Amino acid sequence: MQSPSTRVPLTARRNGPLAGRLRVPGDKSISIRALILGALTVGETRVCGLLEGGDVLNTAKALAALGARIEKIGNGAWSIRGVGVGGFAEPADALDFGNSGTGCRLTLGAVAGCPITATFDGDASLRSRPMQRVLDPLERMGARALVSADGRLPLTLKGARDPIPIIFEPPVPSAQLKSATLLAGLSAPGETVVIEAEATRDHTEKMLTHLGAQIRVEPTANNGRRITLTGQPELEPRPIAVPSDPSSAAFPLVAALVVPGSDIMLTGVMMNPLRIGLLTTLYEMGASIEKLDARNEGGEDVADLRVRAGTLRGVEVPAERAPAMIDEYPVLAVAAAFAEGSTKMRGLKELRVKESDRLAATAALLRENGIVAEIDGDDLIVHGTGGRPRGGGLVRTHMDHRIAMAAIVLGLGSERPVRIDDGTFIATSFPGFVDLMRDLGADLS
Ligand code: S3P
C-alpha cells in the first residue's frame, strides 16, 4: 500500500474556459502489446509513440528479466530485441508489474507457452485483482500455476514444454483474457481458437497480423467474434507506431464539455471502433465533438477532435456497449453529473475488478461531491444537476488512476474545489496529465 508520506494530494478548481490543442500520450493497450510481441519476434522491433507510463515501463522491466533487450532510443522511441516465440529465459527474481493488469495478464499468457517458471507480482491494487480467469485457459494448454485459493497475486507459473492448442470461450468479455490465450497459443502447434460472445478491443489480433502471424477473425451472432490463430509462427520485426490513447483523451474531452466556454482540439486520437463507446454515448447526450481529418496511422483509424462546451442530457447506456468503453465509465459518470436528467449505465459488473472497485469508487466520488448516484445491481444511475455540481469533497482514489483523473475533471467544473487524496497513480497511464491540463487553463494545485 502507498504510504501516506509518498502520496501527492491534488486540488482541482473552477477557472476560465479551457482552450488549446493537445496530443495525449500513446495508447496503453497498444504500448504493452508492442513490447510483449516485440519481445517474441526474432530481431529488432522499433516502436514510436510508446506510452512512457508506469504500467508500460513495469512491463518492459519484466520482459527484460525474461531475456528481451529493451532500450529507449528517443522520446517515445524504443528498440526491442526479441527472443522469438517460446524463447523466454527463466527470470532470477519475481516479475513486478506494479499496477498493470494488462502487463501482468498478457505476460502470463506469453510465459505459459515457454518451458520456464516465473513468479508474478504487483502492487496492492494488482494483488487484489482476479487472476484465476486467465489461469484457467493457460492451465488447459498445459501450464501449471501455484496460486493461493483466492486466485490472487503473487503466483508462480510453470510454462508448458509442449503447449496444447485449445478452443476457449471467455466467460467474461475481456481483451486481456483473449490476448493471454492467444499469446500462449503462439507456442502451440495447430490452431488456438477464442470465441468471444461480445467483441473486445482487437489490438492483439491486429498486431499479430502486422508481425506476420496467421490469424483469422470471423464475426459471430450478436457482435461476437471467432478468432483462429495458427501457432508457432516466426514473428517478423516490423515498426510499430502507437496512436494516442482514447481512454486518456476522455479526461480533457469531458473537461472541455463541462467547463463553460471551453473549446479545445485533441489531435491524433485513436478511433478504433472497439474503443469509442464513450464518443457514441456523448453524441447521444448532445455533446459538441467534431471529428476532423479522419485518417489511418500505423494501421489504426485516428482523428482530431474539436470539443466545445455545451448542455448535455442524460441517456441510457446499454450493457452491450460496455466492452467498447469499459475504462471510460468514471469520467462518463462525471459528464452525467453535469447533464440534465438521469443517466443509466447498464451492465457494469466488470468495473468491480478494475484497478479498484470502480463501480463503488465512482459512486462514492460523485456522492462525496453532492451528486445523487445509485448502484442498482450492476447498473449505475447518476442524477444530473443540469448545471454545476456542488463539489467540495475529498475523493479517495484507491490507487486507481482513472478515479483520480475523473475526480479532477469534476473539480474543474463544479462549484467548489474537489480534492483527491493521491495523484501518483495518474502516471501509470497518463504521465504529464497535470501539466497538459494546466496548459489548457485548468487550475490544479
Ligand atoms: C485492456 C482490457 C480491459 C481494460 C484495460 C486494458 C487491454 O480489461 O479495462 O484497461 O489492454 O486488453 P479487461 O480485458 O479485463 O476488460
Side-chain angles (χ1 to χ4, degrees), residues 28-29 33 102 105 173-176 201 326-327 354 402:
K28 179 155 74 74
S29 294
R33 284 159 174 80
T102 307
R105 293 190 176 125
S174 163
Q176 294 180 1
R201 65 190 70 193
I326 193 66
D327 293 333
K354 294 297 175 187
R402 299 199 202 280

Side-chain angles (χ1 to χ4, degrees), residues 404-441:
M405 288 185 277
I408 285 173
V409 172
L410 175 62
L412 297 179
S414 54
E415 203 52 51
R416 292 199 249 144
V418 171
R419 287 177 302 144
I420 62 169
D421 62 351
D422 188 15
T424 18
F425 287 89
I426 291 172
T428 61
S429 69
F430 198 160
F433 170 76
V434 169
D435 289 338
L436 281 177
M437 293 306 293
R438 281 186 185 138
D439 289 347
L440 294 177

